[in-house]
Amino acid sequence: MKLTIWGAAQQVTGSMHLLQFEKYNVLIDCGLDYEKDTYQEENQHFPFDPIEIDLVILTHAHIDHSGNLPTLVRMGFEGQILSTPPTADLTELLLLDSVNIFLSKQHKHSKGRNRRSSGPQPLYLHKHVNETMERFVTIAFHKDFKVNEQLSVTFIPVGHLLGAAAVVLTIKDGEELKKIGFTGDIGRKNYPVLVNPEQIPQVDYLVAESTYGGRLHSADTNLQDKLVETINETCVKFPGRLIIPAFSIGRTQSLVYSLNRIFSEGLLPPVRIFVDSPLASFATDIYRKYQHLLNDESQDFYRRKGDEFEFDELSYVQDKRESLSVSNYHEPCIIISSAGMLEGGRIQDHLYYNIQNYYCTILFIGYCAKGTLGNRLLRGDSIVRLRNRDLMVYATIKQTDLLSGHGDHNDLVNTVKTQDPKKIKKVFLVHGEIKSMTTLSEALAKEGYSVEMPLKGVGYDI
């Protein structure tokens, strides 16, 4: 049996792991690799023949894990895609949104200087997404799903995102029975709405993420106190507005629930809140659909006070006209809009009208990659370019990691430490920058684990 790490190898994006055993090939995740500016062209090619893949197993819906599935289907994959039910629903939303992004980029290119060129071709179209979704077979958490005489699959909840799972494969390799685990992305404990990560049962090999290796989350305050403090400073003491860039799926729902608790408990006077993201509205409906999979606190709130994602102060903005009217709303308010790194989306409209507003605070609640507009604001740039205009930054810029959906260094170490170092043969680290991965590797080695940081395309006989 052979394991090859074809994606997220000593980098963060593009998770894709190939497991090959006699006459059967399994791909765990098939994400978009964003590491290069030419990622649309780079993701057109697979290092294997998609026709030869028999099965895909998807850990969760985020695009760096699911985003190249339609390309795989377009190029000949004919097998099933296994996931939890919420992952299937959220994946469809994200893949359709990816098509819209591809088409938007192509349209902007055709209107720009290079009109003779057709610009970057979409990786896939809506029809390919539809064909991909037809291949999904959904499996409940903790259910031992028998694929064939050789292979069975179990999904273990790990928080991070609704439906996100670690995958445990039980494989009959000749006369030997082997267990291989894939963590996907590990969430953090006590995260709003989501369940805590569960322990992964003992395996022989573990492919583990390392995103937050060497980094710890803030411990000097909690999310509720941070939100109350920021809203009070921005919208209560002064007649200002708080703009929160947030990814539409996952982070927005946890933020809305947190705000619901704050205002329902009377911790602040009423402040108008706008969620300006159609994708977030659709995703929130999916969270409602799977309310029974949310954490105990959220379910208790639902029983006592009703819908976690709906309250008097909150409005979901539906269309572009309504979105523009929010920019002209002159009372104190909170605007939650995507995208989280400020690269496109309606958030740019709100920035354009508020970046020079002394009474505006922009609160980042997630990571912003280098080169993004969000990163430029966080590093303190005094001038940013929006709509072909250079604008002075007079708004207050703040950041918190209290809504990061990733477990930190200690969470990652503790995830691996549930495995007996005398029984597990190897831990393969993926999905992290080299510095983070190295720090985590050193910590695990001190605990007695044999750790590998695979290079892309290097195969391991296991």
Side-chain angles (χ1 to χ4, degrees):
M1 186 162 52
K2 186 176 183 180
L3 172 68
T4 308
I5 306 301
W6 282 117
Q10 300 193 8
Q11 65 177 48
V12 174
T13 65
S15 290
M16 186 167 63
H17 318 305
L18 179 61
L19 190 62
Q20 298 168 286
F21 42 101
E22 188 178 357
K23 297 180 181 179
Y24 205 77
N25 298 318
V26 180
L27 197 65
I28 295 86
D29 287 343
C30 188
L32 283 182
D33 183 342
Y34 286 106
E35 299 297 316
K36 297 180 181 179
D37 291 338
T38 56
Y39 77 91
Q40 284 185 226
E41 291 82 355
E42 296 291 330
N43 285 279
Q44 292 273 8
H45 309 288
F46 290 98
F48 46 77
D49 188 347
I51 295 174
E52 296 181 355
I53 302 298
D54 297 290
L55 178 72
V56 174
I57 302 172
L58 181 60
T59 60
H60 66 285
H62 282 146
I63 285 294
D64 58 334
H65 291 258
S66 70
N68 220 18
L69 284 171
T71 311
L72 193 76
V73 171
R74 177 172 62 81
M75 296 180 68
F77 169 69
E78 295 181 344
Q80 294 178 334
I81 302 170
L82 305 184
S83 79
T84 65
T87 291
D89 287 355
L90 292 176
T91 297
E92 183 173 17
L93 279 185
L94 283 165
L95 293 179
L96 290 171
D97 187 58
S98 285
V99 174
N100 294 335
I101 292 171
F102 297 150
L103 294 175
S104 176
K105 286 184 176 180
Q106 187 180 44
H107 178 69
K108 288 180 180 178
H109 186 95
S110 67
K111 292 176 65 178
R113 298 177 180 177
N114 300 318
R115 294 182 182 179
R116 294 179 182 178
S117 168
S118 59
Q121 294 299 305
L123 270 172
Y124 44 82
L125 300 172
H126 291 100
K127 65 177 182 179
H128 302 120
V129 174
N130 294 335
E131 291 169 4
T132 300
M133 298 313 303
E134 290 172 358
R135 303 201 170 281
F136 270 78
V137 175
T138 59
I139 304 167
F141 285 116
H142 304 117
K143 180 179 180 180
D144 187 24
F145 181 81
K146 188 173 182 179
V147 176
N148 53 38
E149 294 301 319
Q150 282 185 291
L151 174 66
S152 64
V153 179
T154 306
F155 288 120
I156 308 295
V158 291
H160 182 67
L161 180 70
L162 178 65
V167 177
V168 176
L169 305 183
T170 303
I171 300 161
K172 187 176 182 182
D173 189 17
E175 296 300 317
E176 190 177 2
L177 206 62
K178 296 180 180 179
K179 286 184 180 287
I180 304 174
F182 296 82
T183 66
D185 284 354
I186 299 293
R188 57 195 295 187
K189 294 180 180 178
N190 304 316
Y191 191 83
V193 174
L194 299 180
V195 297
N196 288 340
E198 292 187 13
Q199 180 175 327
I200 298 171
Q202 184 66 49
V203 295
D204 298 297
Y205 300 92
L206 183 65
V207 179
E209 68 119 324
S210 56
T211 312
Y212 262 79
R215 290 185 287 169
L216 299 176
H217 291 309
S218 301
D220 56 342
T221 187
N222 61 46
L223 175 62
Q224 180 169 285
D225 290 345
K226 180 66 175 180
L227 289 174
V228 168
E229 174 192 342
T230 305
I231 296 167
N232 188 51
E233 289 291 333
T234 307
C235 302
V236 178
K237 288 185 177 180
F238 301 98
R241 56 179 50 196
L242 175 62
I243 296 177
I244 307 178
F247 293 110
S248 300
I249 296 180
R251 210 154 292 177
T252 291
Q253 288 72 37
S254 294
L255 176 59
V256 165
Y257 168 67
S258 300
L259 292 172
N260 193 352
R261 287 189 56 194
I262 287 170
F263 288 104
S264 67
E265 293 172 11
L267 300 180
L268 286 170
V271 176
R272 189 76 181 273
I273 303 166
F274 300 99
V275 175
D276 191 6
S277 167
L279 187 62
S281 297
F282 292 130
T284 300
D285 287 338
I286 293 174
Y287 271 64
R288 292 186 177 109
K289 176 181 176 180
Y290 295 104
Q291 204 275 338
H292 63 286
L293 293 179
L294 304 183
N295 64 23
D296 291 341
E297 179 189 76
S298 177
Q299 293 191 48
D300 179 64
F301 186 95
Y302 177 81
R303 287 188 292 268
R304 291 186 296 108
K305 299 194 175 183
D307 191 343
E308 307 99 308
F309 310 110
E310 191 72 57
F311 52 102
D312 289 343
E313 294 85 4
L314 180 69
S315 298
Y316 288 93
V317 178
Q318 299 302 323
D319 54 37
K320 188 71 172 179
R321 180 182 297 178
E322 191 176 349
S323 176
L324 292 174
S325 71
V326 171
S327 296
N328 296 320
Y329 185 79
H330 296 301
E331 298 296 321
C333 66
I334 301 167
I335 301 171
I336 304 166
S337 188
S338 62
M341 298 186 193
L342 311 185
E343 293 296 298
R346 292 184 180 177
I347 188 67
Q348 289 204 342
D349 293 329
H350 299 299
L351 284 176
Y352 182 80
Y353 291 114
N354 290 281
I355 199 73
Q356 299 186 120
N357 178 0
Y358 286 103
Y359 291 95
C360 174
T361 294
I362 301 169
L363 176 65
F364 288 91
I365 59 173
Y367 170 75
C368 289
K370 290 182 180 179
T372 62
L373 177 57
N375 181 260
R376 292 195 291 275
L377 286 175
L378 285 171
R379 74 186 182 191
D381 285 17
S382 59
I383 301 174
V384 294
R385 193 163 185 81
L386 280 167
R387 295 185 182 176
N388 296 317
R389 286 186 61 193
D390 290 328
L391 301 175
M392 296 294 296
V393 179
Y394 299 138
T396 300
I397 309 298
K398 293 186 177 183
Q399 184 181 32
T400 178
D401 64 0
L402 293 170
L403 267 170
S404 168
H406 281 276
D408 67 9
H409 177 84
N410 290 339
D411 295 319
L412 297 176
V413 170
N414 290 333
T415 295
V416 176
K417 284 177 68 175
T418 61
Q419 302 292 312
D420 187 339
K422 295 179 181 179
K423 293 180 179 179
I424 190 170
K425 296 169 183 171
K426 186 77 70 175
V427 177
F428 299 96
L429 295 183
V430 297
H431 205 284
E433 296 173 350
I434 293 176
K435 181 180 179 181
S436 299
M437 198 175 288
T438 302
T439 305
L440 180 59
S441 176
E442 292 171 351
L444 294 175
K446 289 180 181 179
E447 299 290 340
Y449 295 95
S450 175
V451 185
E452 193 81 30
M453 299 189 300
L455 294 170
K456 184 175 182 178
V458 176
Y460 297 86
D461 292 322
I462 60 176

